[in-house]
Amino acid sequence: MTRWWRRRADGDDEGAGGQPPRPAPGQEPSGGPGPGPGHGRRLVGGHLTITEVTEGRPEQEIARVQLSAEEMNTMRARSAIDTLGPEHPDALAAVRELAQVLVTVPGRGEEAVELYQHVARTWWTTLGARHENTLRASAELADALHTTGQLHLAETAWRDTFRAQAETLGRDHPDALHSATRLAAVLEDLDRAPEAEPLVRDVLERRIRQLGPDHPDVLSATNAHAASLLKCGRHGEAERALRSLVPRLEDRYGRDHEKTIAARSNLGAVLVRLDRHAEAEAHIRAVVRSTEATLGTDHETTFTARNNLAAVLHAQERYEDAVPVLREILSGRVALHGDDHPITVVTRDNLANVLIDAGHHAEAAALLDRCVRDYRRLHSPGHPRLRAAEERLAWLRSP
């Protein structure tokens, strides 16, 4: 295992024709690899009570100050470090809990990464590379790197963590399967879906052998593999898998359960790629209604469903209908993930593409200029997304 956790987060560096490239907004598979750190974690705050104690008299409360989860966990971590020292197990546990909170707070992700790095480094040096505490801290740090958009470091971190878990725990251990799934998610975000698909398929096959074909974890892994097939462009295979999976999920969970919605959303994305636009639009609009009613308007699954709606509208050349949908998605993802997160950057790119086709070139150029800078930060030179954005921006700025 290389010592990638020693590297600071900011060290992750790695002519237009007569018509602009006009890619459709990317359909976004959902229900793939599981969420990153802190997602689904209930953030619990508390209060600080100030009391007056006088001999011979009952204790009297003077004031009570409400504290957010962020404030509460910061106080606990500082107190533990001051009292016990930064390498004490209880202090490390408090720091880890603070990192779990901060990684969910917009703008605090870098701080969370530094805290996870401290925990991982300390366990590494005190307990060794294969200890369960070290492996857990390494996995949480890898997820935090992914969550904050540091994709190249996240890939290295997940590869090291997966290798160590497979050697220590075995390839069939749930932790190793989770790490393989998360590594695949990073590869997909790096636009290397063909590398990710075998990992996702292997996880599915191992889960089937362990749990049987109808276990909830197997159903989720089946949807993840179908999403991976979609990202690889293997649309026929993806449709067949999803046509079989959706009824099984509806029977088990109901039509509007989150897991069913994720598979239905993926099926809608496949229909768009297969150019079955009328069927795709009806299907995706039904998915959007389900996600909004079940999960709310600001849930990531809802954003994915809306993005797929924008994609089918774009494919039908209904650009002015697609633009407001993408504006709402971009605003929601900025609020949920932050302005610089990879999925926010891709959404901004999608909006720019549709604005070009709608004839709003000045606004599209401003968005693409931002995308180019972000892609240079996120990807290595020559990356397909960076190259495509640079070509479109050059076309817009050409005389």
Side-chain angles (χ1 to χ4, degrees), residues 296-309:
T297 58
D298 296 325
H299 193 279
E300 179 54 44
T301 302
T302 304
F303 294 146
T304 296
R306 287 178 181 162
N307 183 84
N308 292 343
L309 175 60

Side-chain angles (χ1 to χ4, degrees), residues 2 5 13 50 65 84 104 168 193 203 229 302 306 320 327:
T2 58
W5 41 257
D13 297 321
I50 302 173
V65 181
L84 304 170
T104 68
T168 305
V203 169
L229 291 171
T302 304
R306 287 178 181 162
E320 296 295 346
R327 288 194 196 281

Side-chain angles (χ1 to χ4, degrees), residues 194-240:
E195 293 180 52
E197 187 274 332
L199 283 168
V200 181
R201 175 167 28 91
D202 181 69
V203 169
L204 171 59
E205 292 170 352
R206 290 175 185 276
R207 289 198 183 280
I208 290 174
R209 288 198 297 269
Q210 292 174 353
L211 304 171
D214 297 319
H215 190 277
D217 290 346
V218 172
L219 297 177
S220 296
T222 302
N223 188 44
H225 185 236
S228 185
L229 291 171
L230 173 57
K231 292 175 182 177
C232 289
R234 295 159 62 178
H235 304 142
E237 295 175 69
E239 183 187 10
R240 289 191 293 273

Side-chain angles (χ1 to χ4, degrees), residues 318-330 351 354:
R318 293 160 58 185
Y319 308 130
E320 296 295 346
D321 292 334
V323 165
V325 176
L326 285 167
R327 288 194 196 281
E328 290 181 1
I329 297 169
L330 179 59
L351 176 57
V354 179

Side-chain angles (χ1 to χ4, degrees), residues 77-78 105 119 147 204 245 390:
R78 287 176 176 169
V105 178
V119 175
T147 297
L204 171 59
L245 176 63
E390 288 174 331

Side-chain angles (χ1 to χ4, degrees), residues 116-358:
Y116 278 126
Q117 286 174 327
H118 167 69
V119 175
R121 181 169 53 249
T122 303
W123 284 137
W124 177 297
T125 55
T126 58
L127 299 176
R130 296 297 190 263
H131 192 276
E132 60 179 334
N133 287 357
T134 307
L135 294 176
R136 180 182 63 190
S138 298
E140 290 176 334
L141 174 53
D143 248 339
L145 290 166
H146 190 183
T147 297
T148 54
Q150 300 174 74
L151 301 181
H152 295 292
L153 277 180
E155 179 191 354
T156 303
W158 274 125
R159 284 194 186 281
D160 287 344
T161 303
F162 173 48
R163 186 183 303 113
Q165 289 173 332
E167 293 173 357
T168 305
L169 306 171
R171 284 289 297 270
D172 288 335
H173 191 278
D175 290 350
L177 295 177
H178 174 76
S179 294
T181 302
R182 297 303 299 156
L183 173 58
V186 175
L187 293 172
E188 289 172 349
D189 284 349
L190 287 166
D191 281 347
R192 290 156 56 191
E195 293 180 52
E197 187 274 332
L199 283 168
V200 181
R201 175 167 28 91
D202 181 69
V203 169
L204 171 59
E205 292 170 352
R206 290 175 185 276
R207 289 198 183 280
I208 290 174
R209 288 198 297 269
Q210 292 174 353
L211 304 171
D214 297 319
H215 190 277
D217 290 346
V218 172
L219 297 177
S220 296
T222 302
N223 188 44
H225 185 236
S228 185
L229 291 171
L230 173 57
K231 292 175 182 177
C232 289
R234 295 159 62 178
H235 304 142
E237 295 175 69
E239 183 187 10
R240 289 191 293 273
L242 290 164
R243 291 287 188 192
S244 172
L245 176 63
V246 168
R248 294 162 65 195
L249 291 170
E250 289 179 340
D251 289 344
R252 187 178 187 95
Y253 298 111
R255 183 173 176 79
D256 293 329
H257 188 277
E258 184 173 358
K259 291 185 177 182
T260 310
I261 288 172
R264 290 171 58 203
S265 183
N266 286 342
L267 179 57
V270 170
L271 294 173
V272 176
R273 295 289 181 87
L274 292 170
D275 294 330
R276 287 150 58 181
H277 295 152
E279 182 184 2
E281 181 179 354
H283 185 93
I284 292 170
R285 286 192 182 278
V287 172
V288 170
R289 289 193 295 271
S290 292
T291 59
E292 290 178 341
T294 306
L295 304 173
T297 58
D298 296 325
H299 193 279
E300 179 54 44
T301 302
T302 304
F303 294 146
T304 296
R306 287 178 181 162
N307 183 84
N308 292 343
L309 175 60
V312 74
L313 293 172
H314 184 277
Q316 298 174 86
E317 300 184 357
R318 293 160 58 185
Y319 308 130
E320 296 295 346
D321 292 334
V323 165
V325 176
L326 285 167
R327 288 194 196 281
E328 290 181 1
I329 297 169
L330 179 59
S331 176
R333 280 178 166 160
V334 167
L336 183 62
H337 300 292
D339 207 45
D340 298 325
H341 191 277
I343 198 168
T344 306
V345 178
V346 171
T347 306
R348 190 175 291 116
D349 195 354
N350 286 345
L351 176 57
N353 292 335
V354 179
L355 287 169
I356 291 173
D357 287 336

